[in-house]
């Protein structure tokens, strides 16, 4: 199989890897990966792991593996949930500072992708990807 594969998953994953490389390159100046940045952005309030995993489109095992380094360096903190078995995570003060440093870097990455692909095409792509995610969620719930 090559670049002309009819496999939607292959095409999405290949494009996602290339786009991730752009964001990772920019975010490296804040010592963050795109994964870490995305987790921090969605952790402003305490969130149960399942809810955070759902928001990120990850399974809980993958999320737990990605949380460990952020917890270890103090960018996130773990807090007890509503019952003792539940764990929630939220961004720490250090995480907020890192996110502030990273946001303009993320904006530069976003602008690079939009410049390369076109602003209107990027907007359309984002709308189509959101629609795909919703369709897949509905298909999973059925």
């Amino acid at each position: 199989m090559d670049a002309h594969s009819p496999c939607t998953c292959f095409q999405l994953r290949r494009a996602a890897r290339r786009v991730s490389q752009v964001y990772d390159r920019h975010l490296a100046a804040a010592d963050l990966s795109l994964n870490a940045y995305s987790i921090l952005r969605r952790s402003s309030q305490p969130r149960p792991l399942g809810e955070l995993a759902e928001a990120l489109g990850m399974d809980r095992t993958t999320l737990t593996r990605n949380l460990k380094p952020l917890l270890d360096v103090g960018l996130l903190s773990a807090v007890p949930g509503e019952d003792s078995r539940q764990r929630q995570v939220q961004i720490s003060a250090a995480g907020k500072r890192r996110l502030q440093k990273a946001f303009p870097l993320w904006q530069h990455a976003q602008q690079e992708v939009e410049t390369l692909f076109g602003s209107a095409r990027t907007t359309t792509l984002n709308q189509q990807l959101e629609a795909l995610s919703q369709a897949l969620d509905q298909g999973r719930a059925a």
Side-chain angles (χ1 to χ4, degrees):
M1 287 192 172
D2 62 5
H4 303 291
S5 172
C7 178
T8 302
C9 188
F10 170 80
Q11 294 290 356
L12 282 170
R13 290 181 67 127
R14 185 179 61 157
R17 283 190 291 271
R18 289 181 176 164
V19 170
S20 292
Q21 290 168 356
V22 171
Y23 283 85
D24 283 340
R25 184 171 29 85
H26 285 275
L27 291 168
D31 198 27
L32 287 176
S33 67
L34 178 59
N35 257 353
Y37 178 82
S38 295
I39 291 169
L40 292 175
R41 284 282 309 260
R42 285 153 187 85
S43 301
S44 59
Q45 301 296 320
R47 292 179 90 164
L49 294 185
E51 182 183 310
L52 183 57
E54 180 70 24
L56 292 162
M58 291 181 182
D59 62 64
R60 284 182 59 134
T61 303
T62 302
L63 176 60
T64 299
R65 190 173 49 251
N66 282 275
L67 288 176
K68 185 171 178 4
L70 298 172
L71 290 162
D72 289 349
V73 298
L75 298 179
L76 289 174
S77 60
V79 295
E82 292 178 12
D83 81 39
S84 60
R85 296 169 296 168
Q86 189 181 56
R87 188 174 78 148
Q88 297 187 20
V89 294
Q90 76 178 65
I91 194 167
S92 66
K96 288 177 185 177
R97 288 190 299 274
R98 184 77 62 89
L99 201 53
Q100 273 186 312
K101 179 180 180 181
F103 183 68
L105 302 169
W106 174 87
Q107 287 177 310
H108 291 298
Q110 183 76 9
Q111 185 59 52
E112 181 177 334
V113 170
E114 287 184 19
T115 297
L116 292 169
F117 192 58
S119 184
R121 288 172 70 191
T122 301
T123 298
T124 300
L125 175 63
N126 287 337
Q127 291 168 345
Q128 291 295 308
L129 290 171
E130 182 60 33
L132 176 59
S133 289
Q134 289 176 6
L136 293 170
D137 286 345
Q138 289 172 356
R140 186 175 49 170

